[in-house]
Amino acid sequence: MKFRELSIEGAWEITPQQHGDPRGLFMEWYRFDALAEVAGHPLRMAQANLSVSAKDVVRGIHFADVPPGQAKYVSCVRGAVLDVIVDIRVGSPTFGRWEFVRLDDVDRRSVYISEGLGHGFCALTDDATLSYVCSETYNPTGEHAVHPLDPDLAIEWPAEVPQLSARDEAAPTLAQALETGLLPKYDECLKFRRSLSGQ
């Protein structure tokens, strides 16, 4: 598998090597040792989720308090999504920047998103199915969202009419989340990640 670090520090795109023949295909979808080498520490696999979305559904931008945060290893096992990573870490040199990666059931790429980064996606097909491996279990009191249609973020969602959940519709803008102290701090995220590697 090949790892490509994205422009937002702490996020990687992973492209597997697929081995196919007339019977089907085989690939390594996840390697803890390869991920640990690039991320600086192994991913603690605490919870695995499956998400199924109709076309034009937008989910996110979601994030968790740091510490402990919630790192995610995200793959699309059916259909296609535009996966979006947003740097919401206060003090980061790329604060407010976003980047997207197409995840689908053809190239079968994944993304790894470190603790403290925001995550969302737009379903490009019906029944788009995402698999998440998460470093921490779900904690409703420590989970937050930034409005995915925040005009200051100006994320270019590929949906004419994005379909949002009530929770995401009511989420604050990035500026509002910053003003209320909801966002993680860049230095605290780095400190926590260093602690995972034993430094």
Side-chain angles (χ1 to χ4, degrees), residues 51-55 76 78-81 121 123-130:
S51 167
V52 182
S53 301
K55 187 177 186 297
C76 183
R78 180 178 181 183
V81 304
F121 67 88
L124 303 176
T125 61
D126 280 325
D127 296 327
T129 304
L130 284 190

Side-chain angles (χ1 to χ4, degrees), residues 59-62 72 74 83-85 113 117-121 132:
R59 299 184 189 268
I61 302 298
H62 300 153
K72 297 174 181 175
V74 184
D83 199 86
V84 176
I85 300 101
I113 304 157
L117 292 173
H119 175 249
F121 67 88
Y132 299 70

Side-chain angles (χ1 to χ4, degrees), residues 97-168:
R97 184 184 301 174
W98 55 272
E99 185 168 356
F100 66 82
V101 175
R102 180 187 168 98
L103 304 180
D104 58 37
D105 58 9
V106 177
D107 294 326
R108 303 183 191 277
R109 291 185 182 94
S110 300
V111 291
Y112 174 70
I113 304 157
S114 295
E115 297 84 355
L117 292 173
H119 175 249
F121 67 88
C122 177
L124 303 176
T125 61
D126 280 325
D127 296 327
T129 304
L130 284 190
S131 166
Y132 299 70
V133 174
C134 303
S135 65
E136 294 292 334
T137 56
Y138 175 66
N139 174 14
T141 62
E143 301 278 336
H144 310 287
V146 168
H147 202 294
L149 306 183
D150 179 353
D152 288 336
L153 282 176
I155 297 172
E156 297 170 6
W157 298 109
E160 286 188 23
V161 182
Q163 304 298 309
L164 307 182
S165 69
R167 173 196 178 199
D168 291 342

